[in-house]
Amino acid sequence: MAAPIAYSLIATDLDGTLLRGDDTLSDRSLDALAQVAAAGARHLVVTGRPAPRVRPLLDALGSRGLAVCGQGAQLYDVGADRLLWSVTLDRELAETALGKIEAEVGQVYAAVDQDGVDGLTLIEPGYLMPHPTLPAVRVQRRDDLWCEPISKVLLRHPTLSDDELAATARAVVGSLATVTMSGPGTVELQPCGITKATGLALAADHLGLGAHETIAFGDMPNDIPMFDWAARGVAMANAHPELKAVADEITLSNEDDGIAVVLERLFAGSLADLAQ
């Protein structure tokens, strides 16, 4: 009799989690994901990156299924190259939220991810991309950020830490938007109530799977809702302290194949059966 698989759904963040610092995937990680897929489990990327910034990575993974993008605001069908579901951030609310934040901390620098499978990332003067490998279009004025529907706003402050900026934003934004911190130099405003958990739950429902069958991997506070939803949450060794505090397990870093280490252990029995 074949051994039952440990989890039917493997949900992984990308930056700082599945990806190495140079935005590449290790051979060991690719092999582990291929092996658990052969055992019957589904792999689902759950990322803050918008759909257009994820396509090349999904190609490297050989993914033709679903991906949760934009911090849960987009459910992307990779094979069809279309959004099955998306939620936009009201641009007037976004401007109001920015005004409230700047009234507290002074000038911030902003960028936006436009909605859609061909949406651009626009950055205003002074904003520095936290991921220099990701393409962005610089605009002349902040008003130019609002020319098309957006999925989220990205914020940076010249002197405050990410934790300080995120804490202040949460205190003053209220119900105008959801505030998340998804990586170094990445504090974000997204539609109110939208998190990685909402996107993950929707994707799981499409796949006919549930929270009790899901293990999630992440590294930043924006992964906390995903950990709360899933049956098991695994934080990387390089994870933010807030995520480590709620994790069920802490694995090795993204540079040391932390995801592969856990999957190889959990699926050892199923993989052994496949080898026979």
Side-chain angles (χ1 to χ4, degrees), residues 64-274:
R64 308 303 296 166
L66 302 179
V68 176
C69 305
Q71 303 293 10
Q74 299 174 328
L75 182 57
Y76 178 47
D77 183 328
V78 182
D81 190 28
R82 67 187 181 97
L83 293 177
L84 299 181
W85 179 81
S86 68
V87 179
T88 57
L89 176 59
D90 184 278
R91 285 166 280 177
E92 290 187 6
L93 292 182
E95 285 190 277
T96 300
L98 273 176
K100 288 179 173 290
I101 294 168
E102 290 188 319
E104 293 293 323
V105 301
Q107 184 179 14
V108 298
Y109 300 111
V112 300
D113 285 335
Q114 293 179 334
D115 190 40
V117 295
D118 295 313
L120 301 173
T121 297
L122 305 181
I123 58 177
E124 71 173 352
Y127 186 90
L128 298 176
M129 287 291 290
H131 297 287
T133 60
L134 297 181
V137 176
R138 190 170 296 281
V139 298
Q140 297 299 312
R141 304 171 303 137
R142 178 171 291 180
D143 287 349
D144 296 330
L145 298 176
W146 322 120
C147 62
E148 298 287 344
I150 61 173
S151 59
K152 64 181 178 181
V153 179
L154 302 91
L155 305 176
R156 302 195 75 168
H157 192 276
T159 59
L160 292 180
S161 70
D162 298 331
D163 290 293
E164 291 169 330
L165 179 57
T168 300
R170 290 190 188 101
V172 301
V173 165
S175 62
L176 294 175
T178 296
V179 178
T180 61
M181 181 169 52
S182 60
T186 314
V187 175
E188 302 178 356
L189 306 179
Q190 59 202 66
C192 187
I194 296 298
T195 68
K196 284 191 173 184
T198 58
L200 174 54
L202 183 63
D205 185 62
H206 271 262
L207 297 172
L209 299 172
H212 66 288
E213 302 169 278
T214 303
I215 183 171
F217 295 84
D219 73 308
M220 291 299 291
N222 64 320
D223 295 313
I224 292 175
M226 181 167 69
F227 279 25
D228 289 342
W229 184 85
R232 188 169 185 82
V234 182
M236 314 306 290
N238 51 288
H240 191 283
E242 288 183 19
L243 187 69
K244 287 182 176 179
V246 301
D248 297 300
E249 178 181 351
I250 298 173
T251 185
L252 300 181
S253 75
N254 60 319
E255 300 290 348
D256 296 318
D257 298 312
I259 288 178
V261 169
V262 174
L263 294 181
E264 289 164 358
R265 185 191 78 234
L266 291 177
F267 285 80
S270 299
L271 299 180
D273 286 339
L274 288 173

Side-chain angles (χ1 to χ4, degrees), residues 13 79 174:
D13 174 47

